[in-house]
Amino acid sequence: MNETPNSHEVEPFGDEGNVAVIEIQPGVGLVVGDLLPEGLDVTPLSLLDDSARDKVTHAATQALGWANAGAQAAQGVVAARGLVQLDAATVQALKQGATLMQSQGKTLSVLMKNGKIVGHARFVPAAAGTASTMAASLGPAMVMLGIQAELNRLASLSKHNIELTRELRSTIKDGEWSETVGHHRDLREAVETAMRIGAVSDSVWQGVAPKRGELLSQVERASRALKRLTPQLPQKNKDAKERQQFLLEHAEEMIGDAQALVRAVDALTMYRLLEAGNAHARAEQDPREASRRDHLVEVSRQYDDEAKREAREVLRELRVELNVAAGLKANWYAFDRRLSRKNATDAAQLAGILNQMAERLGDATPQYEEPRFEALEQATAPSSLRTVLPWRLSDDERLLGVAEVADTSGIGVGDIGRRRYLAMTDRHLYVMVPREVESDGVVREPIPAESIRYVRVRPGDEKQPPRLTVATTEEDYSFEFGSWAKGSDKRDAAVQFSNLVASRMHLPADEVPVVPPQE
């Protein structure tokens, strides 16, 4: 565990230790309090001098409302301990009041001492009044907190990204690879030196200052390379296998290009933040340097966000298809079992690399969340549905219910009894063909909830299973639950799901015909 200069172990004051994790920017928390949770990897505030650290401590304790912490802070008992990285899953769990949160070996909300729980850390999101109040009172110290947080993150991730991409080196030219590694090494060493001496001195900055043109050129080359395959991607309305095969064949190349872009942007961001840190050293004497520092921080964030958004968008479809393939064991190619096994192995390996990279870019890996309403013959949804559905839903779309039915919309013998999976979300009704889901991971275009005009629910009885009729702006659907839904519990579940669909009925006033009164 890294320790701050004032992070000596002390007895907690009050009934429980006073410790808070204040989110100062997305994914980065400031640990403040009278002791450190065991197992928490905290990076010391090495780019802040003693007076700035004291200012951060006092601002935090005042914002948190710790009435008796002022004297403790003056004695160094309560202190700003340092910065901690918070992944998306950790932040979400803490926001939901987790009392025992283990994430990647970190204990983030439980305070341990001598093997015993002595209290719980308070988590304060960046959007909360406490965090914003503290930020408003810190001024330049808050800017340097942000600079250090970003430099910490980029320096550590650059090592990981280079190792990760080494598996894909065949897709990267040796010259470009050497250039990338060289830039990362030089900038990472500059960051480490600045952390060690406690400032971005002129000598540290001058060692990397001439690299600006090379870094800008590298970002531009990487961006062009990432986009070159996109026009060749088969359209969505074409054969699913053709599209999936194209993505799988070009996966390594696309991931390598995206990694090259991310590495190049990381290097350029480190460069700008080092420049900002150097300007900060003269900001008190020269207001122009303070303005330049703030501008560099803002530009680096905007550029970083834009480049990562670009990489996320290009890789999103590839990531979806690889994870679906890995989850379904690449059943796309079941005609040749040897090819199927190889594709499953390749897809799983590449999906793992891509998921790590996506987390790095800010995209969490979607998980199947058990819906409130389930009307299924078995106790849980089929494994294929649990694998595919999270990847096919839109961003932030919530799954409300799933059901297993027969499509009775047709009148011919061949049209009766077709199995379907239904999934109701807060935005759409999905009607899925099981064999398409199980073999190709295909989910057809969903029915927008706002296009559902009329729903009729026939609850059935001991002899007749429930039936569901859905009329939309484009088409009418009729579904019937299986014989398993004749029993009371199963029938109730089927009716509840049907009522969920019915609750989405929407008939705009302009679609209601107005009949003139009879004269």
Side-chain angles (χ1 to χ4, degrees), residues 180-200:
T180 297
V181 172
H183 286 323
H184 271 274
R185 183 189 61 243
D186 293 345
L187 286 160
R188 190 172 65 245
E189 288 177 356
V191 171
E192 292 170 352
T193 300
M195 297 295 183
R196 187 162 53 249
I197 67 176
V200 184

Side-chain angles (χ1 to χ4, degrees), residues 11-83:
E11 291 295 330
F13 60 90
D15 295 333
E16 294 184 344
N18 276 309
V19 176
V21 179
I22 304 174
E23 191 179 30
I24 61 172
Q25 64 185 53
V28 178
L30 171 69
V31 181
V32 181
D34 57 347
L35 78 165
L36 280 171
E38 291 182 4
L40 187 61
D41 186 16
V42 177
T43 301
L45 305 176
S46 55
L47 290 184
L48 295 184
D49 56 29
D50 290 340
S51 62
R53 278 197 294 269
D54 290 343
K55 186 175 181 180
V56 169
T57 298
H58 284 281
T61 55
Q62 289 176 5
L64 290 164
W66 288 350
N68 62 336
Q72 300 274 7
Q75 300 171 19
V77 174
V78 173
R81 304 288 173 180
L83 299 171

Side-chain angles (χ1 to χ4, degrees), residues 103-393:
S103 177
Q104 297 180 352
K106 299 177 182 178
T107 306
L108 295 177
S109 61
V110 176
L111 308 183
M112 304 291 294
K113 186 175 182 182
N114 299 325
K116 298 180 180 179
I117 296 177
V118 296
H120 297 288
R122 175 181 175 187
F123 177 71
V124 182
T130 298
S132 57
T133 298
M134 187 189 78
S137 66
L138 284 177
M142 190 66 182
V143 176
M144 281 307 297
L145 275 177
I147 290 175
Q148 176 165 347
E150 283 297 294
L151 287 174
N152 291 343
R153 182 176 65 86
L154 293 171
S156 62
L157 283 172
S158 67
K159 297 179 183 179
H160 173 71
N161 285 339
I162 289 173
E163 290 299 322
L164 192 61
T165 311
R166 197 161 278 143
E167 301 178 43
L168 304 168
R169 185 175 173 179
S170 61
T171 68
I172 303 173
K173 295 179 181 178
D174 286 342
E176 294 178 2
W177 173 260
S178 299
E179 182 182 348
T180 297
V181 172
H183 286 323
H184 271 274
R185 183 189 61 243
D186 293 345
L187 286 160
R188 190 172 65 245
E189 288 177 356
V191 171
E192 292 170 352
T193 300
M195 297 295 183
R196 187 162 53 249
I197 67 176
V200 184
S201 64
D202 288 342
S203 60
V204 171
W205 166 239
Q206 289 166 6
V208 296
K211 292 182 177 293
R212 181 190 299 272
E214 297 173 7
L215 294 172
L216 289 170
S217 296
Q218 189 178 22
V219 169
E220 180 61 27
R221 287 198 305 270
S223 180
R224 288 199 306 267
L226 182 60
K227 296 175 182 177
R228 73 179 182 275
L229 283 176
T230 304
Q232 305 173 37
L233 183 64
Q235 297 178 4
K236 285 186 177 180
N237 58 1
K238 300 295 183 181
D239 181 65
K241 286 186 173 63
E242 178 186 351
R243 184 178 181 83
Q244 292 160 346
Q245 183 68 49
F246 177 89
L247 287 168
L248 188 58
E249 288 175 353
H250 294 90
E252 288 194 14
E253 187 176 2
M254 294 174 72
I255 295 173
D257 289 340
Q259 280 282 51
L261 175 61
V262 172
R263 287 195 314 272
V265 171
D266 282 351
L268 183 58
T269 301
M270 279 193 285
Y271 177 91
R272 285 177 169 145
L273 291 174
L274 285 168
E275 186 178 4
N278 181 251
H280 178 77
R282 294 184 293 275
E284 291 187 8
Q285 289 74 35
D286 188 346
R288 292 172 298 181
E289 288 296 308
S291 178
R292 187 166 74 95
R293 173 201 63 198
D294 296 343
H295 173 71
L296 287 167
V297 170
E298 182 62 27
V299 168
S300 69
R301 287 174 180 167
Q302 291 177 354
Y303 202 87
D304 188 73
D305 290 344
E306 177 63 23
K308 289 174 177 56
R309 181 195 59 77
E310 178 181 312
R312 284 198 305 268
E313 289 181 354
V314 172
L315 292 174
R316 184 164 293 144
E317 290 186 62
L318 174 63
R319 187 183 181 209
V320 167
E321 299 302 342
L322 287 175
N323 277 277
V324 168
L328 296 178
K329 310 301 182 187
N331 287 333
W332 309 332
Y333 313 103
F335 293 109
D336 186 332
R337 292 187 178 276
R338 292 171 299 176
L339 183 59
S340 178
R341 284 194 296 270
K342 181 182 183 302
N343 283 330
T345 301
D346 291 348
Q349 180 182 12
L350 292 171
I353 294 173
L354 196 51
N355 287 339
Q356 290 184 54
M357 183 176 175
E359 294 279 354
R360 156 80 181 82
L361 295 172
D363 269 357
T365 299
Q367 302 295 327
Y368 183 85
E369 296 183 7
E370 300 293 341
R372 179 182 174 187
F373 300 96
E374 291 184 313
L376 304 161
E377 183 174 8
Q378 304 299 323
T380 59
S383 60
S384 58
L385 199 61
R386 301 170 73 89
T387 295
V388 172
L389 202 53
W391 292 103
R392 298 304 188 191
L393 298 183

